[in-house]
Amino acid sequence: MSKKAFTLHQDKQGLIWDLMLYIPTVAALLGLSASFWFQNNPYLSYLLLFLGSFFAIAGTNRILKTRLMILPKSPIALEVNLDGKWVNIKLRSGQSIELIKQVKFFRDLSGKSVGLSGIDGTGRLQQFVFHKGQFILEKEYDALTKVFIKA
């Protein structure tokens, strides 16, 4: 069974894109929440505060985990067998996770990121997102997608 290995790197271009997306969104939601609070519309204010908080947490996680790869659970390398039924993912913490069952591959419509999910050896469902900018060469990203498209 032959394998293909990929090393991941920080995605600085994607980081800028995410910052341009999340900062104005969170600021607008929190600003609108404050505005509705002072207009005596607390229920709408609570909803917008929740949405702003949710986007702040989701954006921070996305930036720290997939773009900068700082968190201990951030993937830094992956190894895939060529039939697409087994994936080994190395995390920043040094831990390796093997997806051995129900390995599924998901592409977004723009073709700039992919998702991998599967069940590890302990029976837990694991999910990972990889961005095109994390690969040194675009050919590596294309090679990863081709492994799962033909599988």
Side-chain angles (χ1 to χ4, degrees):
M1 165 169 62
S2 56
K3 303 177 233 176
K4 190 143 183 84
F6 303 95
T7 303
L8 304 173
H9 300 280
Q10 291 182 346
D11 182 9
K12 301 285 186 180
Q13 223 172 10
L15 168 70
I16 294 168
W17 176 256
D18 279 352
L19 289 173
M20 289 179 6
L21 173 72
Y22 284 107
I23 290 174
T25 303
V26 170
L29 287 169
L30 296 179
L32 285 171
S33 174
S35 172
F36 283 116
W37 178 262
F38 290 111
Q39 292 176 9
N40 281 338
N41 194 346
Y43 298 113
L44 189 54
S45 176
Y46 291 148
L47 174 66
L48 293 173
L49 180 64
F50 169 75
L51 288 173
S53 301
F54 177 78
F55 277 104
I57 292 169
T60 302
N61 184 55
R62 179 178 168 107
I63 288 169
L64 294 178
K65 187 174 181 183
T66 64
R67 299 296 188 180
L68 293 178
M69 299 171 18
I70 293 174
L71 299 179
K73 295 272 184 182
S74 300
I76 58 170
L78 71 146
E79 193 176 27
V80 181
N81 72 343
L82 294 181
D83 65 357
K85 296 185 190 301
W86 173 86
V87 178
N88 184 20
I89 300 169
K90 185 176 180 191
L91 304 180
R92 165 92 39 219
S93 65
Q95 179 185 12
S96 286
I97 295 177
E98 288 187 41
L99 304 179
I100 55 175
K101 286 193 229 175
Q102 298 176 7
V103 176
K104 295 180 185 169
F105 175 79
F106 305 94
R107 286 193 305 179
D108 68 351
L109 294 176
S110 67
K112 294 187 179 183
S113 63
V114 296
L116 279 176
S117 71
I119 297 178
D120 65 7
T122 63
R124 290 183 32 205
L125 177 66
Q126 302 282 342
Q127 300 174 342
F128 297 93
V129 175
F130 302 100
H131 303 286
K132 188 182 257 187
Q134 289 180 291
F135 295 85
I136 296 174
L137 301 172
E138 193 172 322
K139 289 189 286 186
E140 288 183 346
Y141 178 81
D142 293 337
L144 175 67
T145 58
K146 287 178 184 174
V147 166
F148 289 100
I149 290 172
K150 71 179 182 180

